[in-house]
Each structure stands twice: as C-alpha cells, then as structure tokens.
Amino acid sequence: MKCRARQDAIIRSLRRAGSATIKGLAQEVGASRSTILRDIAALRDEGFVIDTEQGRGGGVSMDTRSVQTAARLIVTEVFALVISVASMQAAGQLPFSGLADAGLAKIEKTLSPDKLRDLRRLLECLYVGPLAPEVDVSDVTGSDPALLSAFEDAFLNRNYLRFHYSDARGVRSEREVEPQAMLVLPPLWYLVAWDPERQDFRHFRMDRITTPKAVAGSTFRKRHVKFGDGVHRLRFA
C-alpha cells in the first residue's frame, strides 16, 4: 500500500474506532511498526491531533474533531498539473503562462526532496509538440484515471506496463511494453513505448488505454527515442 493510501486508511480507522494500537494499525494496512510511527508523525504535521501511549500495546487515539490543516501533495497530482499546463501552452491557449510557471515552482517547493526527485524524473520523460492538422481528433475521450499512478510505478521503477488497447479500428488487444516517454500533442496524449514483441517503438493514444498496471519485478533499459520536428522535452522554470 502506498504512503498516501496507508495514511488515509489510518485516519479512517481512528475516526471509526476512536483508538487503536500500533500493532493493530500495522496489521490493518500491512506495514511495519516503524512505518506506522512515521505515518503518525507525518499526519500530526498535517494538523491531525493524534496521541500515542508508550508500552507494549502502543495505544493510539485521535481527536475526531481535528482536521487536516496542511495541504498534502503527491507526485502524480503535481505531475498532472504540469502536463495540463504543458498541454495548454503547446496549444497556445494559456495566456498567463508566466504565472502558471511561477505557481508550479511554488508547489514544487512544498514537496519533500524524495518526491521532488521523483517529479523531476517523470518530467524527463515528458515531451510536447504540435499536432499535425490532418490528424482526426473527433473521437477523443477521457483517459483511464489509473494511468498516472501506473505511469509513476512504470517510469520511476522502469517496470513493464501491461494494459488493454483499442486501436483506431476498435480492435482490442493486451499489450506489455517498456514505457519510454509521454508525448503531448494537444489535444492528444501518447505513451511512447518499446514493444518487445514487435521489436520497435509504438505510440499508444492514452485515451485508448484501459486497465493499466505496472508489472512488478520487471525491468528494462532506457532507450533513445527520436521525435519529429517541433517536439521537445518539457522545460519549466
């Protein structure tokens, strides 16, 4: 269970029961005692009033009236903001781009060093450019919400990505690829990946990807991706 989900589960458990033990919380979320103690410290920093008792049982209680007072940002949330701003910039539809860059820079400063490092690594995989005028965009739909979290695992850990894909003719297939880059050609987004089965790069429209999942334990090497004219790596101040 990821950090954000684990801490949310701790808060839900304490609100529901009023109190718990470190051991009980650890078993509930599948984490170690030391991890639970770090989570509790982080939740206190966010404004939750949580008391702990020393001893074998390690009692934990929370003032159910306490609320989160500090914003809690995760890498994928900030990355989603970045690529949204990048999309509008590439499409020439962001009149206050300077302010947007400044705002994102302030948000970045709220991230811990490890989260900021992860964000920078994700940004290294992001490319933007103009969409050719002859490309049909009449069938563009929303993307699977699970994509960004799957991308976080796949790109940061260099895990294979497995998903179902529907091509332009509606033919559905299951793919397992090496994610190498994300390409934004507004209003289309593409996953650029090396397909081991076809021994070549493939561009997958993100709105045609469903049930994405990083394949744990799998690894691959970084490959050089060649893009056409006008495509460049995203740069933010």
Side-chain angles (χ1 to χ4, degrees):
M1 186 181 292
K2 290 188 176 181
C3 180
R4 176 72 176 266
R6 191 176 60 244
Q7 291 176 4
D8 286 344
I10 291 172
I11 292 299
R12 287 196 301 271
S13 180
L14 292 175
R15 286 200 186 283
R16 182 175 62 249
S19 63
T21 64
I22 299 294
K23 181 179 180 180
L25 290 173
Q27 291 175 340
E28 183 175 343
V29 302
S32 66
R33 175 186 174 87
S34 58
T35 296
I36 296 299
L37 291 174
R38 286 196 298 270
D39 285 339
I40 289 174
L43 290 168
R44 283 171 173 159
D45 289 341
E46 292 169 9
F48 292 103
V49 180
I50 302 175
D51 295 319
T52 55
E53 297 176 1
Q54 299 296 324
R56 186 175 181 181
V60 184
S61 61
M62 184 181 77
D63 183 345
T64 55
R65 296 169 298 177
S66 65
V67 296
Q68 181 180 348
T69 57
R72 192 167 31 154
L73 293 168
I74 60 176
V75 171
T76 49
E77 289 173 338
V78 179
F79 189 60
L81 285 173
V82 171
I83 56 182
S84 296
V85 170
S87 298
M88 289 187 287
Q89 285 180 333
Q93 297 174 346
L94 191 64
F96 304 108
S97 57
L99 288 175
D101 286 351
L104 286 171
K106 290 178 181 178
I107 290 174
E108 285 185 357
K109 291 179 181 179
T110 69
L111 298 176
S112 62
D114 58 326
K115 288 183 178 180
L116 183 57
R117 183 174 59 251
D118 286 347
L119 175 63
R120 291 301 187 187
R121 287 178 60 194
L122 284 173
L123 287 175
E124 289 177 357
C125 303
L126 183 61
Y127 292 78
V128 295
L131 183 68
E134 65 271 15
V135 176
D136 181 15
V137 295
S138 61
D139 62 341
V140 177
T141 60
S143 297
D144 190 322
L147 262 177
L148 277 185
S149 59
F151 281 173
E152 181 181 16
D153 287 338
F155 279 100
L156 294 183
N157 300 321
R158 291 197 179 166
N159 292 150
Y160 278 73
L161 190 68
R162 183 183 299 141
F163 53 86
H164 288 95
Y165 191 70
S166 297
D167 64 18
R169 297 170 297 170
V171 177
R172 187 174 171 83
S173 60
E174 185 176 47
R175 314 299 284 268
E176 189 170 309
V177 300
E178 303 173 0
Q180 298 289 337
M182 284 168 277
L183 175 61
V184 180
L185 304 178
L188 298 179
W189 297 7
Y190 293 90
L191 166 66
V192 183
W194 177 262
D195 190 330
E197 184 176 330
R198 294 160 177 79
Q199 285 295 294
D200 199 0
F201 285 103
R202 290 290 187 269
H203 287 56
F204 300 96
R205 259 180 52 173
M206 293 192 196
D207 59 326
R208 293 175 177 167
I209 295 175
T210 55
T211 61
K213 184 178 182 180
V215 181
S218 62
T219 58
F220 60 87
R221 65 182 176 88
K222 182 71 174 175
R223 300 174 187 267
H224 176 66
V225 184
K226 291 184 178 180
F227 293 103
D229 294 340
V231 174
H232 62 277
R233 181 178 291 170
L234 178 67
R235 298 292 185 189
F236 269 99

